Amino acid sequence: MAEHNPFPGENNTGHVWDDNLRELDNPPPRWWMLGLWASLLFVVGYSLLYPTWPVGQEPTQGVLGWSQMQEYARGVEQVEAKRAKFEDQIRGMTANEILADPGLTQYTLASAKVLFGDNCSACHGSGGQGNPGYPVLADDDWLYGGTTTKIAETIAKGRQGAMTAHQTILTPAEIDTLAEWVVQMSETGGKGGSEEGWSLFKTKGCTACHGQAANGVLVELGNGDIVTVGAANLNDGIWRFKPGGYESAKHTITYGVNQATVPESRNAVMPAFAEAGKLSEQEIKKLVVYVHELGGGK
């Protein structure tokens, strides 16, 4: 830095580097100063009109009395006003009647998507693909039936199936035979299965829950509904508890499902959304339509 200013009269600060690099002391452009003062005036005006400065737990209110919550409430009112005619129609209809109307079906599906995301996706996945330990809803395999009546019953009242732990009822060899038989049945669509496995299935009480045909159905009703206790269909390749296969079948047979006194037991509980007050009748109806269409309900 130079000791003396070699550029007198230039309005610089006297700081010079490398003989000719210096720091000037000129005022900012007028337009920049006008912008600065305008922005300061804007802040003052905004602070007077809108909530701005924190005072305790609340901000200053502003002379306009505007708030984001009021804006949100007005937005909700506008949305509800547009939905009102559809909601009124749905309120007086059954799920089957909604499904018979393409326009109302599309509205219900769009409306129920949020309900499904808030209440169902944590267990069943955002697309109904299921998470580990929870049923897939995006297929046509139903533990309790896929009619709108059964789906509504499941959502409203919940489900809690049960399977006895057979660790003290069957011998290890019998458990192995049944586990292998279950795999054989799943791989052949119910057309296979050893004679020894069929014999154990029928003599050890398995038909009481899984049905005579091992398809999980006890009685088929004329309206399409089925009588079932939620036992799995052993004739398909769909496994209630992943990853499936011999070891999975052996674990379920040995330790059962929802057996409170057996630590290794499988857990399978569906909440009762109506009885818990979590969903209204209208919301359940929407979810019935959504789940029915998601999984190709019957």
Side-chain angles (χ1 to χ4, degrees):
M1 185 176 70
E3 295 294 337
H4 304 286
N5 187 353
F7 303 95
E10 191 183 45
N11 196 31
N12 60 54
T13 62
H15 297 162
V16 180
W17 296 266
D18 296 335
D19 297 330
N20 62 358
L21 296 178
R22 62 266 192 202
E23 181 183 8
L24 301 181
D25 192 21
N26 295 324
R30 184 177 296 275
W31 65 265
W32 192 92
M33 292 301 297
L34 291 174
L36 173 63
W37 289 112
S39 63
L40 292 175
L41 290 174
F42 174 82
V43 170
V44 173
Y46 185 93
S47 300
L48 293 174
L49 296 174
Y50 296 98
T52 307
W53 306 110
V55 179
Q57 297 297 320
E58 298 291 336
T60 54
Q61 297 302 306
V63 296
L64 295 181
W66 180 91
S67 74
Q68 288 181 321
M69 291 306 299
Q70 290 176 352
E71 192 76 9
Y72 167 76
R74 282 194 292 268
V76 171
E77 289 177 1
Q78 292 172 357
V79 171
E80 290 180 345
K82 290 183 178 294
R83 292 178 175 176
K85 64 177 182 179
F86 299 106
E87 294 291 330
D88 290 342
Q89 283 182 272
I90 291 173
R91 190 168 289 105
M93 301 172 69
T94 65
N96 286 332
E97 290 171 338
I98 294 172
L99 288 166
D101 186 317
L104 282 178
T105 298
Q106 288 303 310
Y107 167 79
T108 304
L109 293 177
S111 178
K113 187 174 183 179
V114 175
L115 288 172
F116 186 87
D118 290 344
N119 298 279
C120 313
S121 62
C123 297
H124 296 288
S126 58
Q129 75 275 17
N131 286 321
Y134 299 94
V136 175
L137 301 182
D139 59 22
D140 60 354
D141 185 76
W142 301 90
L143 291 175
Y144 294 91
T147 63
T148 56
T149 301
K150 285 296 182 180
I151 297 173
E153 186 179 289
T154 298
I155 297 172
K157 299 180 179 180
R159 300 290 187 185
Q160 184 168 343
M163 176 168 170
T164 302
H166 290 78
Q167 58 185 340
T168 60
I169 300 173
L170 300 175
T171 67
E174 289 174 330
I175 290 176
D176 285 342
T177 298
L178 272 175
E180 290 172 353
W181 175 82
V182 169
V183 173
Q184 294 166 1
M185 293 289 284
S186 69
E187 291 176 344
T188 62
K191 298 178 181 178
S194 66
E195 291 185 7
E196 185 180 4
W198 268 111
S199 176
L200 284 171
F201 178 78
K202 292 178 179 179
T203 59
K204 297 299 181 177
C206 304
T207 57
C209 295
H210 293 280
Q212 292 293 329
N215 61 356
V217 177
L218 300 181
V219 178
E220 294 187 15
L221 303 178
N223 63 354
D225 283 339
I226 59 174
V227 176
T228 175
V229 294
N233 180 358
L234 304 180
N235 296 336
D236 57 25
I238 299 174
W239 293 85
R240 172 66 178 81
F241 300 101
K242 302 297 182 183
Y246 168 79
E247 291 296 337
S248 183
K250 181 179 178 179
H251 184 99
T252 303
I253 295 169
T254 303
Y255 303 114
V257 178
N258 290 330
Q259 299 301 299
T261 59
V262 182
E264 300 90 343
S265 181
R266 306 279 199 186
N267 293 316
V269 178
M270 164 83 178
F273 284 94
E275 294 180 2
K278 293 183 178 180
L279 292 172
S280 66
E281 181 180 347
Q282 183 91 329
E283 290 171 331
I284 290 175
K285 191 186 303 182
K286 290 180 181 180
L287 279 173
V288 168
V289 173
Y290 188 88
V291 173
H292 184 276
E293 295 300 278
L294 188 67
K298 300 173 182 178

